[in-house]
Amino acid sequence: MTATLIDGKAIAASWRARIGAAVADLAPQGLRPGLAVVLVGDDPASQIYVRSKMRQTVEAGMRSFDHALSASTTQDELLALVAKLNADPDVDGILVQLPLPPQIDAQAVIEAIDPAKDVDGFHPVNAGRLLTGTPGFVPCTPLGCLLLLHSIRPDLTGLDAVVIGRSAIVGKPMAQLLIRENCTVTVAHSRTRNLPEVCRRADVLVAAVGRPELVRGDWLKPGATVIDVGINRVPNPAAGEGRTRIVGDVAFAEAVDVAGAITPVPGGVGPMTIACLLRNTLEAACRRRGLPPERWSATTA
Ligand code: NDP
């Protein structure tokens, strides 16, 4: 069997087009959603990611506010900027790029962001809303994974889902979303016993581990839908000495013969994360102005 490829790049492009259309519909009312992105330091991977976010924000018709701060920024300086952005009426969404330099307590910064502008969905208020099943912002990566799953299986009711990874930004919110979708959810982590056996039960497997090709083909239930969140850089001697390539948490070449559908890495979950950030910013802009859910709900339906 050869699995269906879940083309995250194409699916993300179509969501961005829908979000762009919803943004254009707001323009006659003088409303243009705005996203502030704060980058502290000069980590090259973060710089690339932030640039991509800003470009796609503008392409979707939104305003992008760029705040690049030096690596020596103090916690008080960053908190002062967050307070300013919280109070700025043109800013609908605030994203502080992680990781932050060691002198800054990331959790304190996350908790300083107004939950109504927390488009990353990391604030404890939004995490609590997801847990209690009340409307709030859902972290972008798991939301993107859910949209990819829906592209293959619009109804996930009753399926056995296994999420490998229990981080606050991917694994835990992913599990909550799958519970909301009526799946029977198992969350696996580094202390899980007999992980291959646990994975073999999964109709839906989400791997968010950060271990290159940990999940082997023979860990999968035939026909399973596999979402690979992992982004791992590994040596690529075939391309020359010192060269690297990106692989996921799933051994793709093996998995493709067993799974029913699978996301590639790159080109799977990654592009969806930014699309969902734009989607959350649109929602934040509408909510803050008391606009009805019809203005943004079609961008995740
Ligand atoms: P974390 O390091 O925060 O969490 C990793 C999780 O995997 C932990 O819960 C850990 O368990 C578990 N784990 C580690 N090793 C094993 C193992 N051998 N067996 C089973 N479980 C294990 O990572 P993140 O959640 O932040 O990210 C996970 C991956 O997803 C990374 O590769 C990251 O780069 C990628 N990512 C991709 C994004 C995208 O846009 N595509 C966005 C965010 C992340 P324990 O809790 O016991 O330590």
Side-chain angles (χ1 to χ4, degrees):
M1 181 182 5
T2 298
T4 302
L5 210 61
I6 307 175
D7 185 347
K9 218 169 150 188
I11 296 170
S14 92
W15 281 110
R16 287 200 306 274
R18 278 164 93 156
I19 294 159
V23 169
D25 280 348
L26 298 172
Q29 294 158 53
L31 198 172
R32 192 167 168 217
L35 173 65
V37 178
V38 181
L39 175 64
V40 185
D42 39 28
D43 174 56
S46 292
Q47 281 175 333
I48 293 169
Y49 194 46
V50 160
R51 260 203 302 276
S52 182
K53 282 174 184 169
M54 292 190 306
R55 180 175 48 77
Q56 293 185 29
T57 303
V58 172
E59 281 170 7
M62 303 188 192
R63 297 173 76 182
S64 173
F65 304 100
D66 166 23
H67 295 271
L69 308 182
S70 82
S72 60
T73 301
T74 65
Q75 173 146 338
D76 284 350
E77 285 165 343
L78 182 55
L79 289 174
L81 174 60
V82 168
K84 203 170 121 216
L85 297 172
N86 281 342
D88 186 339
D90 288 337
V91 172
D92 296 296
I94 302 171
L95 180 146
V96 179
Q97 183 66 39
L98 301 178
L100 290 167
Q103 74 275 15
I104 296 176
D105 173 0
Q107 192 58 28
V109 175
I110 289 168
E111 294 190 20
I113 296 171
D114 179 350
K117 296 189 177 187
D118 169 40
V119 286
D120 250 344
F122 295 164
H123 193 288
V125 165
N126 284 315
R129 285 176 179 152
L130 180 58
L131 190 78
T132 53
T134 45
F137 293 109
V138 176
C140 302
T141 298
L143 183 57
C145 293
L146 184 64
L147 296 181
L148 292 177
L149 280 171
H150 277 165
S151 76
I152 292 291
R153 295 180 181 235
D155 183 3
L156 301 172
T157 300
L159 296 180
D160 283 319
V162 171
V163 179
I164 321 176
R166 55 175 165 179
S167 72
I169 63 170
V170 191
K172 280 181 191 158
M174 187 73 240
Q176 291 302 330
L177 284 173
L178 291 167
I179 291 170
R180 200 173 81 181
E181 294 291 313
N182 303 314
C183 290
T184 304
V185 181
T186 302
V187 179
H189 44 75
S190 66
R191 311 294 176 89
T192 296
R193 282 181 293 174
N194 204 350
L195 184 60
E197 200 51 50
V198 171
C199 291
R200 271 181 218 117
R201 293 204 299 262
D203 301 303
V204 168
L205 181 74
V206 181
V209 194
R211 300 277 180 273
E213 302 185 327
L214 173 80
V215 178
R216 312 309 308 187
D218 64 1
W219 294 24
L220 301 177
K221 180 175 181 173
T225 304
V226 178
I227 305 291
D228 190 351
V229 184
I231 302 176
N232 308 291
R233 194 169 281 283
V234 296
N236 185 16
E241 206 187 306
R243 302 299 291 271
T244 58
R245 67 191 174 105
I246 302 283
V247 299
D249 291 337
V250 179
F252 184 85
E254 296 175 14
V256 83
D257 287 333
V258 187
I262 186 167
T263 57
V265 176
V269 174
M272 292 301 291
T273 297
I274 300 184
C276 289
L277 175 68
L278 303 179
R279 191 252 158 222
N280 281 354
T281 304
L282 169 68
E283 177 173 344
C286 293
R287 278 191 188 283
R288 290 181 58 239
R289 289 163 182 85
L291 295 175
E294 301 87 79
R295 302 308 289 264
W296 72 84
S297 55
T299 59
T300 39

